[in-house]
Amino acid sequence: MAFGDDMIDGYAEGEEPLIFHHKRGEFRQLEDKKTRELAEGEGFKSKGFFGVLVGTKGNRMIFMALVVCMGLIFVLSILSGRKNEGVIDGVGCKMDSFSIEETVYVSVALKMTKSAREKADANRPRHFFAVVNALDANGELVSSSKEEYLFSLSQENEEQKKQFLRASFTDYDIDSIECILSLSDSTEGEGAVQPSRNEIKLKSKVSRH
């Protein structure tokens, strides 16, 4: 059809324009569910961010896997960051090590926990036996020492609360310190002291000053 002056919007004068109608009606019931939802716009409804994450079985599996991985990373980061801390027989222990002028100093702070302090035997002396190992960057033993300490909440240290077990090494490429701290089985004298099975292992990197 040619367009001329007697035409309006492509239709000749007196000619009825064609009107297109969207298909609606009972025939929609004959279509499959996905086609009907797309035609009616139901497939494009917003479900929100969380709704999209758990909207399908695949998305739910991926979401749960991410949650588990994040949880494991969080727990491992906490545990790996506290290798220098532990509790034995109600006494909290925290080890620090540092190097000054070619000497590595090791300090294990001992402090009774609040729950242990409230028990009836809080004032019971605790005889600790420690094996302190100095390790190089490859984890090989450089030097070792054995230390003992009698922990007690006596009148002299009641206000101080923290007590310290100490050791030192000449710095021959020492990278980290490992301390195996155990509760001694005997208090019959220094020669009779033996480490018990109740033990903890502390480890820390040597801080350089």
Side-chain angles (χ1 to χ4, degrees):
M1 178 184 294
F3 294 90
D5 295 336
D6 58 344
M7 288 184 157
I8 300 176
D9 296 331
Y11 295 96
E13 185 176 355
E15 185 178 346
E16 292 290 333
L18 296 176
I19 300 175
F20 295 92
H21 298 275
H22 293 286
K23 293 182 178 180
R24 299 181 184 277
E26 296 181 356
F27 78 96
R28 287 285 180 214
Q29 304 301 322
L30 303 177
E31 294 177 336
D32 60 88
K33 183 178 179 181
K34 288 187 177 179
T35 303
R36 186 167 62 253
E37 288 179 349
L38 287 173
E40 295 176 355
E42 294 184 7
F44 298 97
K45 289 182 178 179
S46 176
K47 298 180 179 180
F49 180 72
F50 185 76
V52 172
L53 286 178
V54 297
T56 64
K57 183 178 180 180
N59 286 357
R60 286 193 294 271
M61 292 179 66
I62 295 174
F63 178 69
M64 290 303 297
L66 287 173
V67 171
V68 172
C69 289
M70 291 296 291
L72 288 175
I73 292 172
F74 179 73
V75 171
L76 290 175
S77 64
I78 293 177
L79 293 177
S80 61
R82 296 184 178 179
K83 289 182 179 180
N84 66 324
E85 298 181 22
V87 178
I88 179 171
D89 196 24
V91 178
C93 310
K94 181 177 180 180
M95 182 175 69
D96 292 298
S97 56
F98 53 92
S99 176
I100 298 178
E101 296 182 355
E102 298 185 355
T103 300
V104 172
Y105 298 92
V106 182
S107 176
V108 181
L110 307 172
K111 183 178 180 180
M112 184 168 289
T113 62
K114 182 178 179 180
S115 58
R117 188 179 287 271
E118 294 173 351
K119 293 183 178 180
D121 64 342
N123 293 327
R124 171 175 54 85
R126 291 159 172 81
H127 202 152
F128 289 111
F129 182 92
V131 177
V132 186
N133 297 323
L135 310 175
D136 63 15
N138 298 319
E140 299 294 331
L141 182 64
V142 175
S143 185
S144 181
S145 71
K146 295 181 179 180
E147 310 292 335
E148 297 177 30
Y149 189 85
L150 183 63
F151 181 92
S152 177
L153 292 179
S154 62
Q155 293 294 330
E156 291 78 12
N157 56 42
E158 178 64 29
E159 293 182 1
Q160 183 182 357
K161 294 183 180 179
K162 279 188 179 181
Q163 301 171 49
F164 295 90
L165 185 154
R166 294 185 171 92
S168 62
F169 301 94
T170 301
D171 189 355
Y172 293 118
D173 297 324
I174 297 174
D175 180 73
S176 61
I177 300 294
E178 178 185 78
C179 176
I180 303 173
L181 190 65
S182 61
L183 186 66
S184 301
D185 290 327
S186 175
T187 56
E188 297 177 358
E190 184 175 326
V193 174
Q194 297 294 330
S196 70
R197 293 182 179 180
N198 185 9
E199 66 179 31
I200 58 173
K201 182 183 290 187
L202 310 175
K203 190 171 183 178
S204 70
K205 295 280 290 184
V206 175
S207 176
R208 303 290 174 179
H209 293 275

